[in-house]
Amino acid sequence: MRRRGRSRALLADRRTVVLGLLATATFGGALVVEFGRVWRRGSAPALTETEYPLEAAAEAAAETAEVARTGFKEASTRENAVFVLLTSFVTSFIFARAITTLLRGRSRVGPFQNLKLGRRHIHHYVPGILLAFGAGGAAIVTRNEDLDPWLALPFGAGMGLTMDESALLLDLDDVYWSEEGIVSVQIALAVTAMLAAVAIASRFLRRGEQVVLHEATQPH
């Protein structure tokens, strides 16, 4: 039984690593593709056309950042809120699972440690629920669309913290590292949200390109 439990724990650890690698690859790949597009279409000289490649790369990077900022500003408030919510959800989910993995068998990892009140262990779904309820309630009470992107940040973070321990809530038992931990379902949901965030971000970037690169290629 002990070997079986250990193998399940290792499987959960591997899935956590896979999720982290997939998230990093997706996010990094999107950045690299956009950086290449801006460098190719923007005002920065190509590598074959300059003797100062580092300066050209820095110019392309600055232009890429400007494209992202402009695209975010040009998007609607609703799109911004959805993008922030999805990004916050994925980030908090991966962060919570990574920290929980590192805390296994340890009392502390940097500033993070298991929280206890008396003999009761406080799971991270508790602050997650509080964050989501608080942000959702504030959005309903204020009814101010300009606040939605800001409130989407704690709402998405609360969703991520709660979803990471959804198996515990379903079974009313601490099955975080067991086969019943439905890690695969959680990973699928996180990856879906991550891909959706990348898709929305690409829309921001296309809008930003239309504004920034058009201005960059105009004769002065």
Side-chain angles (χ1 to χ4, degrees):
M1 291 295 293
R2 184 173 297 179
R3 288 183 179 178
R4 191 175 179 182
R6 184 176 299 175
S7 64
R8 289 174 178 174
L10 288 174
L11 179 60
D13 288 344
R14 289 170 184 167
R15 286 171 174 169
T16 300
V17 172
V18 169
L19 175 61
L21 291 176
L22 183 59
T24 303
T26 303
F27 181 73
L31 285 180
V32 170
V33 169
E34 184 60 27
F35 177 73
R37 281 175 57 91
V38 172
W39 197 342
R40 186 174 65 254
R41 300 176 58 191
S43 60
L47 289 176
T48 57
E49 300 173 353
T50 180
E51 297 179 356
Y52 306 99
L54 292 180
E55 293 182 5
E59 183 179 348
E63 213 163 35
T64 302
E66 182 62 27
V67 164
R69 284 194 297 268
T70 302
F72 191 81
K73 292 177 182 178
E74 292 291 323
S76 67
T77 302
R78 186 177 298 275
E79 284 181 320
N80 286 343
V82 173
F83 173 73
V84 171
L85 187 150
L86 291 172
T87 304
S88 177
F89 166 71
V90 173
T91 302
S92 63
F93 175 83
I94 295 175
F95 182 78
R97 186 153 287 269
I99 292 298
T100 305
T101 301
L102 293 174
L103 279 173
R104 294 189 68 199
R106 306 177 189 176
S107 60
R108 177 185 292 270
V109 175
F112 303 101
Q113 60 181 336
N114 289 317
L115 179 62
K116 291 186 177 181
L117 290 179
R119 296 182 178 180
R120 185 178 298 277
H121 172 67
I122 305 300
H123 292 271
H124 51 265
Y125 73 78
V126 175
I129 291 175
L130 294 176
L131 278 173
F133 278 18
I140 294 173
V141 171
T142 58
R143 293 189 177 183
N144 185 348
E145 289 190 358
D146 293 335
L147 292 178
D148 286 349
W150 295 99
L151 293 174
L153 183 63
F155 190 84
M159 286 175 56
L161 294 174
T162 305
M163 181 60 66
D164 187 49
E165 293 197 307
S166 56
L168 188 153
L169 294 172
L170 289 172
D171 290 346
L172 298 180
D173 192 13
D174 195 351
V175 294
Y176 192 88
W177 296 111
S178 71
E179 189 175 10
E180 292 79 11
I182 59 170
V183 181
S184 297
V185 176
Q186 294 172 330
I187 289 177
L189 290 173
V191 171
T192 300
M194 177 177 57
L195 294 176
V198 171
I200 295 175
S202 67
R203 295 180 62 182
F204 294 169
L205 295 172
R206 297 297 85 78
R207 288 173 179 158
E209 285 181 8
Q210 292 176 1
V211 176
V212 176
L213 299 187
H214 176 74
E215 294 176 352
T217 55
Q218 292 300 306
H220 297 286

